[in-house]
Coordinates of all heavy atoms in Angstrom, one line a residue:
M251 N -117.3 -26.8 58.8 CA -117.9 -27.1 57.5 C -119.4 -27.5 57.6 O -120.1 -27.3 56.7 CB -117.1 -28.3 56.9 CG -115.8 -27.8 56.3 SD -116.2 -26.7 55.0 CE -114.6 -26.5 54.3
L252 N -119.8 -28.1 58.7 CA -121.1 -28.5 58.9 C -122.1 -27.3 58.9 O -123.2 -27.4 58.5 CB -121.3 -29.3 60.1 CG -122.7 -29.9 60.4 CD1 -123.1 -30.8 59.2 CD2 -122.7 -30.7 61.7
T253 N -121.6 -26.1 59.4 CA -122.5 -25.0 59.5 C -123.0 -24.5 58.1 O -124.1 -23.9 58.1 CB -121.8 -23.8 60.2 OG1 -120.6 -23.5 59.5 CG2 -121.5 -24.1 61.7
R254 N -122.3 -24.8 57.1 CA -122.7 -24.5 55.7 C -124.1 -25.0 55.4 O -124.9 -24.4 54.8 CB -121.7 -24.9 54.7 CG -122.0 -24.5 53.3 CD -121.1 -25.0 52.3 NE -119.7 -25.0 52.8 CZ -118.7 -25.4 52.1 NH1 -118.8 -25.8 50.8 NH2 -117.5 -25.4 52.6
V255 N -124.4 -26.2 55.9 CA -125.7 -26.9 55.7 C -126.8 -26.0 56.3 O -127.9 -25.8 55.7 CB -125.7 -28.3 56.3 CG1 -127.0 -28.9 56.3 CG2 -124.7 -29.1 55.6
Y256 N -126.5 -25.5 57.5 CA -127.5 -24.7 58.2 C -127.8 -23.3 57.5 O -128.9 -22.8 57.4 CB -127.1 -24.5 59.7 CG -127.0 -25.8 60.4 CD1 -125.8 -26.2 60.9 CD2 -128.1 -26.6 60.5 CE1 -125.7 -27.4 61.6 CE2 -128.0 -27.8 61.1 CZ -126.8 -28.2 61.7 OH -126.7 -29.4 62.4
Y257 N -126.7 -22.7 57.0 CA -126.9 -21.5 56.2 C -127.7 -21.8 54.9 O -128.5 -21.0 54.5 CB -125.5 -20.9 55.9 CG -124.9 -20.2 57.0 CD1 -123.7 -20.8 57.6 CD2 -125.4 -19.1 57.6 CE1 -123.1 -20.2 58.7 CE2 -124.8 -18.5 58.7 CZ -123.6 -19.1 59.3 OH -123.0 -18.5 60.4
K258 N -127.5 -22.9 54.3 CA -128.3 -23.3 53.1 C -129.7 -23.5 53.5 O -130.6 -23.2 52.7 CB -127.7 -24.6 52.5 CG -126.4 -24.3 51.7 CD -125.8 -25.5 51.1 CE -126.6 -25.9 49.9 NZ -126.0 -27.0 49.1
A259 N -130.0 -24.1 54.7 CA -131.3 -24.3 55.2 C -132.0 -22.9 55.4 O -133.2 -22.8 55.0 CB -131.3 -25.1 56.5
F260 N -131.3 -22.0 55.9 CA -131.8 -20.6 56.0 C -132.2 -20.1 54.7 O -133.3 -19.5 54.4 CB -130.8 -19.7 56.8 CG -131.2 -18.2 56.7 CD1 -132.2 -17.7 57.4 CD2 -130.5 -17.4 55.8 CE1 -132.5 -16.4 57.3 CE2 -130.8 -16.1 55.7 CZ -131.8 -15.5 56.5
G261 N -131.3 -20.2 53.7 CA -131.5 -19.8 52.4 C -132.7 -20.4 51.7 O -133.5 -19.8 51.0
G262 N -132.9 -21.7 52.0 CA -134.1 -22.4 51.5 C -135.4 -21.9 52.0 O -136.4 -21.8 51.3
Q263 N -135.4 -21.5 53.3 CA -136.5 -20.9 53.9 C -136.8 -19.6 53.3 O -138.0 -19.2 53.0 CB -136.4 -20.8 55.4 CG -136.4 -22.2 56.1 CD -136.3 -22.0 57.6 OE1 -135.5 -21.2 58.1 NE2 -137.0 -22.8 58.4
M264 N -135.8 -18.8 53.1 CA -136.0 -17.5 52.4 C -136.5 -17.7 51.0 O -137.4 -16.9 50.6 CB -134.7 -16.7 52.4 CG -134.3 -16.1 53.7 SD -135.3 -14.8 54.3 CE -135.0 -13.6 53.0
W265 N -136.0 -18.6 50.3 CA -136.4 -18.9 48.9 C -137.9 -19.3 48.9 O -138.6 -18.8 48.0 CB -135.5 -20.0 48.3 CG -135.8 -20.3 46.9 CD1 -135.4 -19.6 45.8 CD2 -136.7 -21.3 46.4 NE1 -135.9 -20.2 44.7 CE2 -136.7 -21.2 45.0 CE3 -137.5 -22.3 47.0 CZ2 -137.5 -22.1 44.2 CZ3 -138.3 -23.1 46.2 CH2 -138.2 -23.0 44.8
R266 N -138.3 -20.1 49.8 CA -139.7 -20.6 49.8 C -140.6 -19.4 50.1 O -141.7 -19.3 49.5 CB -139.9 -21.6 50.9 CG -139.5 -23.0 50.4 CD -139.9 -24.1 51.3 NE -139.1 -24.2 52.5 CZ -137.8 -24.6 52.6 NH1 -137.2 -25.0 51.5 NH2 -137.1 -24.6 53.7
L267 N -140.2 -18.5 51.0 CA -141.0 -17.3 51.3 C -141.2 -16.4 50.1 O -142.3 -16.0 49.7 CB -140.4 -16.5 52.4 CG -140.5 -17.0 53.8 CD1 -139.7 -16.2 54.8 CD2 -142.0 -17.0 54.3
Q268 N -140.1 -16.2 49.4 CA -140.1 -15.4 48.1 C -141.0 -16.0 47.1 O -141.8 -15.3 46.4 CB -138.7 -15.1 47.6 CG -138.1 -13.9 48.1 CD -136.8 -13.5 47.3 OE1 -136.2 -14.4 46.7 NE2 -136.5 -12.3 47.4
N269 N -140.9 -17.3 46.9 CA -141.6 -18.0 45.9 C -143.1 -18.3 46.2 O -143.8 -18.8 45.3 CB -140.9 -19.2 45.4 CG -139.6 -18.9 44.6 OD1 -139.7 -18.2 43.6 ND2 -138.5 -19.3 45.1
T270 N -143.5 -18.0 47.4 CA -144.9 -18.2 47.7 C -145.6 -16.8 47.7 O -146.7 -16.7 48.2 CB -145.1 -18.9 49.1 OG1 -144.4 -18.1 50.1 CG2 -144.6 -20.3 49.0
G271 N -144.9 -15.8 47.3 CA -145.5 -14.5 47.1 C -145.3 -13.5 48.2 O -145.8 -12.4 48.2
V272 N -144.5 -13.8 49.2 CA -144.2 -12.9 50.3 C -143.2 -11.9 49.8 O -142.2 -12.3 49.2 CB -143.7 -13.6 51.6 CG1 -143.4 -12.6 52.7 CG2 -144.7 -14.7 52.0
S273 N -143.4 -10.6 49.9 CA -142.5 -9.6 49.4 C -142.6 -8.3 50.2 O -143.4 -8.2 51.1 CB -142.9 -9.3 47.9 OG -144.1 -8.7 47.9
G274 N -141.7 -7.4 49.9 CA -141.7 -6.1 50.6 C -141.4 -6.2 52.1 O -140.6 -7.0 52.5
E275 N -142.2 -5.4 52.8 CA -142.0 -5.3 54.2 C -142.3 -6.6 54.9 O -141.7 -7.0 55.9 CB -142.8 -4.2 54.8 CG -142.6 -3.9 56.3 CD -141.2 -3.3 56.6 OE1 -140.5 -2.9 55.7 OE2 -140.9 -3.4 57.8
S276 N -143.3 -7.3 54.4 CA -143.7 -8.6 55.0 C -142.5 -9.6 54.9 O -142.2 -10.3 55.8 CB -144.9 -9.2 54.2 OG -146.0 -8.5 54.5
L277 N -141.8 -9.6 53.8 CA -140.6 -10.5 53.6 C -139.5 -10.1 54.6 O -138.8 -10.9 55.2 CB -140.1 -10.5 52.2 CG -138.9 -11.4 51.9 CD1 -139.2 -12.9 52.2 CD2 -138.5 -11.3 50.4
A278 N -139.3 -8.7 54.7 CA -138.3 -8.2 55.6 C -138.6 -8.7 57.1 O -137.7 -9.1 57.8 CB -138.2 -6.7 55.5
I279 N -139.9 -8.6 57.5 CA -140.2 -9.0 58.8 C -140.0 -10.5 59.0 O -139.5 -11.0 60.0 CB -141.7 -8.6 59.1 CG1 -141.8 -7.1 59.2 CG2 -142.2 -9.3 60.4 CD1 -143.2 -6.6 59.2
E280 N -140.4 -11.3 58.0 CA -140.3 -12.8 58.1 C -138.8 -13.1 58.1 O -138.4 -14.0 58.8 CB -140.9 -13.5 56.9 CG -142.4 -13.4 56.9 CD -143.0 -14.3 58.0 OE1 -142.4 -15.3 58.4 OE2 -144.2 -14.0 58.4
A281 N -138.0 -12.4 57.4 CA -136.5 -12.6 57.4 C -135.9 -12.3 58.7 O -135.1 -13.1 59.2 CB -135.8 -11.8 56.3
A282 N -136.4 -11.3 59.4 CA -135.9 -10.9 60.7 C -136.2 -12.1 61.7 O -135.4 -12.4 62.6 CB -136.5 -9.6 61.2
V283 N -137.4 -12.6 61.6 CA -137.8 -13.7 62.5 C -136.9 -14.9 62.2 O -136.4 -15.6 63.1 CB -139.3 -14.1 62.3 CG1 -139.6 -15.4 63.0 CG2 -140.2 -13.0 62.7
L284 N -136.7 -15.2 60.9 CA -135.8 -16.4 60.6 C -134.4 -16.1 61.1 O -133.7 -17.1 61.6 CB -135.8 -16.6 59.1 CG -137.0 -17.2 58.4 CD1 -136.9 -17.3 56.9 CD2 -137.2 -18.6 59.0
I285 N -133.9 -14.9 60.9 CA -132.5 -14.6 61.4 C -132.4 -14.8 62.9 O -131.5 -15.4 63.4 CB -132.1 -13.2 61.0 CG1 -131.9 -13.1 59.5 CG2 -130.9 -12.7 61.7 CD1 -131.7 -11.7 58.9
G286 N -133.4 -14.4 63.6 CA -133.4 -14.6 65.1 C -133.4 -16.0 65.4 O -132.7 -16.5 66.4
T287 N -134.2 -16.8 64.7 CA -134.3 -18.3 64.9 C -133.0 -18.9 64.7 O -132.5 -19.7 65.5 CB -135.4 -18.9 64.0 OG1 -136.6 -18.3 64.3 CG2 -135.5 -20.4 64.3
W288 N -132.4 -18.7 63.6 CA -131.1 -19.3 63.2 C -129.9 -18.8 64.1 O -129.0 -19.5 64.4 CB -130.8 -19.2 61.7 CG -131.7 -20.1 60.9 CD1 -132.8 -19.8 60.2 CD2 -131.5 -21.5 60.8 NE1 -133.3 -20.9 59.7 CE2 -132.5 -22.0 60.0 CE3 -130.6 -22.4 61.3 CZ2 -132.7 -23.3 59.7 CZ3 -130.7 -23.8 60.9 CH2 -131.7 -24.2 60.1
Q289 N -130.0 -17.5 64.5 CA -129.0 -17.0 65.4 C -129.1 -17.7 66.7 O -128.0 -18.0 67.3 CB -129.2 -15.5 65.5 CG -128.1 -14.8 66.4 CD -128.3 -13.4 66.6 OE1 -129.4 -12.8 66.2 NE2 -127.4 -12.7 67.2
A290 N -130.3 -18.0 67.2 CA -130.4 -18.7 68.5 C -129.9 -20.1 68.3 O -129.5 -20.7 69.3 CB -131.9 -18.7 68.8
R291 N -129.8 -20.6 67.1 CA -129.3 -22.0 66.9 C -127.8 -22.0 66.7 O -127.2 -23.0 66.5 CB -129.9 -22.6 65.7 CG -131.4 -22.9 65.9 CD -132.0 -23.4 64.6 NE -133.5 -23.6 64.8 CZ -134.3 -23.9 63.9 NH1 -133.9 -23.9 62.6 NH2 -135.6 -24.1 64.1
G292 N -127.2 -20.8 66.8 CA -125.7 -20.7 66.8 C -125.1 -20.1 65.6 O -123.9 -20.1 65.5
L293 N -125.9 -19.7 64.6 CA -125.3 -19.1 63.4 C -125.0 -17.6 63.6 O -125.6 -16.9 64.4 CB -126.2 -19.3 62.2 CG -126.5 -20.7 61.8 CD1 -127.4 -20.8 60.6 CD2 -125.3 -21.6 61.7
S294 N -124.1 -17.1 62.7 CA -123.7 -15.7 62.8 C -124.8 -14.8 62.2 O -125.2 -14.9 61.1 CB -122.4 -15.5 62.0 OG -122.1 -14.2 61.8
Q295 N -125.2 -13.8 63.0 CA -126.2 -12.8 62.6 C -125.7 -12.0 61.3 O -126.4 -11.8 60.4 CB -126.5 -11.8 63.7 CG -127.5 -10.8 63.3 CD -127.9 -9.8 64.4 OE1 -127.5 -10.0 65.5 NE2 -128.7 -8.9 64.1
S296 N -124.4 -11.7 61.3 CA -123.9 -10.9 60.2 C -123.9 -11.7 58.9 O -124.2 -11.2 57.8 CB -122.5 -10.4 60.5 OG -121.6 -11.4 60.7
V297 N -123.6 -13.0 59.0 CA -123.7 -13.8 57.8 C -125.1 -14.0 57.3 O -125.4 -13.9 56.1 CB -123.0 -15.2 58.0 CG1 -123.2 -16.1 56.9 CG2 -121.5 -15.0 58.3
L298 N -126.0 -14.2 58.2 CA -127.4 -14.4 57.9 C -128.0 -13.1 57.2 O -128.7 -13.2 56.2 CB -128.3 -14.7 59.1 CG -128.0 -16.1 59.8 CD1 -128.6 -16.2 61.1 CD2 -128.5 -17.2 58.8
E299 N -127.6 -12.0 57.8 CA -128.0 -10.7 57.2 C -127.4 -10.5 55.8 O -128.1 -9.9 54.9 CB -127.7 -9.5 58.1 CG -128.5 -9.5 59.4 CD -128.1 -8.5 60.4 OE1 -127.0 -7.9 60.3 OE2 -128.9 -8.2 61.4
A300 N -126.2 -10.9 55.6 CA -125.6 -10.8 54.3 C -126.3 -11.7 53.3 O -126.5 -11.2 52.2 CB -124.1 -11.2 54.4
I301 N -126.7 -12.8 53.7 CA -127.4 -13.7 52.8 C -128.8 -13.1 52.4 O -129.2 -13.0 51.3 CB -127.7 -15.1 53.4 CG1 -126.3 -15.8 53.6 CG2 -128.7 -15.9 52.6 CD1 -126.4 -17.1 54.4
R302 N -129.5 -12.5 53.5 CA -130.7 -11.9 53.2 C -130.6 -10.7 52.2 O -131.4 -10.6 51.3 CB -131.3 -11.3 54.6 CG -132.5 -10.5 54.4 CD -132.8 -9.6 55.6 NE -131.7 -8.6 55.6 CZ -131.3 -7.9 56.7 NH1 -131.9 -8.2 57.9 NH2 -130.4 -7.0 56.7
T303 N -129.6 -9.9 52.4 CA -129.4 -8.7 51.6 C -128.8 -9.0 50.3 O -129.4 -8.5 49.2 CB -128.5 -7.7 52.4 OG1 -129.1 -7.4 53.7 CG2 -128.4 -6.4 51.6
E304 N -127.8 -9.7 50.2 CA -127.0 -9.9 48.9 C -127.7 -11.0 48.0 O -127.6 -10.9 46.8 CB -125.6 -10.3 49.2 CG -124.9 -9.1 49.9 CD -123.5 -9.5 50.4 OE1 -122.9 -10.4 49.9 OE2 -123.0 -8.7 51.3
V305 N -128.2 -12.0 48.6 CA -128.8 -13.1 47.8 C -130.3 -12.8 47.5 O -130.7 -13.0 46.4 CB -128.6 -14.5 48.5 CG1 -129.3 -15.6 47.7 CG2 -127.1 -14.8 48.8
F306 N -131.0 -12.4 48.5 CA -132.4 -12.3 48.3 C -132.9 -10.8 48.2 O -134.1 -10.5 48.0 CB -133.2 -12.9 49.5 CG -133.0 -14.4 49.5 CD1 -132.0 -15.0 50.4 CD2 -133.7 -15.2 48.7 CE1 -131.8 -16.3 50.4 CE2 -133.4 -16.6 48.7 CZ -132.5 -17.1 49.5
N307 N -131.9 -9.9 48.1 CA -132.2 -8.5 47.9 C -133.3 -7.9 48.8 O -134.3 -7.3 48.3 CB -132.6 -8.3 46.4 CG -132.4 -6.8 46.0 OD1 -131.7 -6.1 46.6 ND2 -133.2 -6.4 45.0
T308 N -133.3 -8.3 50.0 CA -134.2 -7.9 51.0 C -133.5 -7.1 52.1 O -132.5 -7.5 52.6 CB -134.9 -9.1 51.6 OG1 -135.5 -9.8 50.6 CG2 -136.0 -8.7 52.7
S309 N -134.1 -5.9 52.5 CA -133.5 -5.1 53.5 C -134.0 -5.5 54.9 O -135.0 -6.3 55.0 CB -133.7 -3.6 53.2 OG -135.1 -3.4 53.2
A310 N -133.5 -4.9 55.9 CA -134.0 -5.1 57.3 C -135.4 -4.4 57.4 O -135.6 -3.4 56.7 CB -133.0 -4.5 58.3
P311 N -136.2 -4.9 58.2 CA -137.5 -4.3 58.4 C -137.4 -2.9 59.0 O -136.5 -2.6 59.7 CB -138.3 -5.2 59.3 CG -137.3 -6.0 60.0 CD -136.1 -6.1 59.1
V312 N -138.4 -2.0 58.7 CA -138.4 -0.6 59.1 C -139.0 -0.6 60.5 O -139.9 -1.2 60.8 CB -139.1 0.3 58.2 CG1 -139.2 1.7 58.7 CG2 -138.5 0.2 56.8

């Protein structure tokens, strides 16, 4: 149950990026960096990618 807090923290970081004007490929790259960071902290890459794609409508970087 505690991991939910960390996924919300990831979402908060993504939200801040979007609301400070980061978009398009730049947002995709920043999201990839965040996913790598949170994955290294023990979170699931597939869940983080799902949050990125389904919640923030951002695809993987090209």
Side-chain angles (χ1 to χ4, degrees):
M251 282 298 187
L252 184 58
T253 57
R254 185 182 322 179
V255 173
Y256 299 118
Y257 288 110
K258 287 180 75 173
F260 167 76
Q263 290 180 321
M264 286 291 297
W265 182 85
R266 279 187 289 285
L267 285 171
Q268 270 192 334
N269 286 304
T270 56
V272 181
S273 63
E275 187 66 16
S276 294
L277 182 59
I279 292 168
E280 291 290 336
V283 171
L284 286 176
I285 288 171
T287 300
W288 285 101
Q289 184 181 8
R291 293 175 181 168
L293 298 185
S294 166
Q295 180 177 355
S296 61
V297 173
L298 293 167
E299 289 173 347
I301 294 169
R302 175 202 64 204
T303 304
E304 296 172 20
V305 176
F306 295 98
N307 198 26
T308 303
S309 61
V312 176

